[in-house]
Amino acid sequence: EDLGKIFCHLMGEGANSDRDWAIWSSIQFDRPKRLMFTSVVAEAMKRKDADVARLGEIDGLITEAGKLEEGRNNAIHAPLTLLGHREPHYVGYPRWVIPDADGKHARALKLRQKNALDEVRWTCAATLVLRDYADKIVSAWERQKPWPSRPSLPDRQAKRKSQAARRRALER
């Protein structure tokens, strides 16, 4: 739980503080933890000795994690439709899981024109990138090493291009 370690460092007593771990662990859901984390970062930025660049990177990490949660929740909580299962005009085409936006479900509408399974896969890959970045931040902090560079998240466009190529190949 690297975010918990970073939180404890920001609280001032380091990753082994029982008090800070108790505070972090008392909240069971991610969104309230991120809100608390953001407040601690904002307070840390007010200190005279604040390393604003590093704190900005930490705040950016938390912001990206929030975006990923929203995308993940859209993909897993939206009502879905399986195309190519019974529809005669899809015979011979791959089956696609798409959001069922006919009912105007808010999460399904956000996923319109997207493949829900690809969204889950992309969110998983992006989450792993952010997890590894958080681990590198903790390592740099605890070992007084250089701060890690912000990583790039996986490219969604590459996946879309490869899907389009597969569709074209099936149409031939």
Side-chain angles (χ1 to χ4, degrees):
E1 166 113 35
D2 290 323
L3 290 182
K5 289 179 183 177
I6 296 170
F7 173 82
C8 290
H9 280 291
L10 288 171
M11 291 291 285
E13 294 189 30
N16 295 321
S17 167
D18 290 338
R19 176 196 62 132
D20 296 339
W21 271 110
I23 292 168
W24 180 254
S25 301
S26 68
I27 299 175
Q28 301 299 312
F29 301 102
D30 291 341
R31 188 166 292 161
K33 278 186 176 181
R34 283 195 311 276
L35 291 171
M36 179 175 64
F37 201 112
T38 302
S39 296
V40 171
V41 169
E43 283 302 311
M45 284 191 178
K46 294 177 184 176
R47 296 183 198 146
K48 289 180 183 178
D49 62 341
D51 187 335
V52 177
R54 286 185 177 187
L55 291 170
E57 285 295 311
I58 292 169
D59 193 47
L61 172 65
I62 297 304
T63 300
E64 287 301 317
K67 291 176 188 175
L68 289 179
E69 181 191 33
E70 179 66 17
R72 172 207 164 266
N73 285 342
N74 289 338
I76 66 171
H77 294 298
L80 303 175
T81 297
L82 176 63
L83 293 182
H85 180 60
R86 293 193 176 114
E87 299 84 355
H89 54 282
Y90 285 106
V91 172
Y93 285 86
R95 293 181 178 173
W96 297 100
V97 176
I98 64 166
D100 184 358
D102 291 341
K104 307 298 182 213
H105 189 281
R107 292 196 184 277
L109 291 170
K110 291 177 184 177
L111 289 173
R112 188 175 278 171
Q113 304 298 320
K114 295 181 181 180
N115 182 310
L117 294 177
D118 286 342
E119 286 300 302
V120 171
R121 286 184 193 106
W122 181 86
T123 301
C124 180
T127 299
L128 293 175
V129 169
L130 292 183
R131 179 206 59 193
D132 293 346
Y133 181 48
D135 182 56
K136 290 176 184 176
I137 289 174
V138 169
S139 180
W141 205 322
E142 291 178 347
R143 296 186 177 122
Q144 303 296 315
K145 294 169 88 177
W147 202 256
S149 299
R150 183 183 292 194
S152 297
L153 295 180
D155 183 13
R156 288 177 186 253
Q157 295 300 328
K159 185 169 282 279
R160 287 185 185 143
K161 289 176 187 173
S162 65
Q163 287 173 352
R166 281 192 304 251
R167 278 189 223 129
R168 283 192 301 276
L170 287 169
E171 290 172 359
R172 292 182 194 156

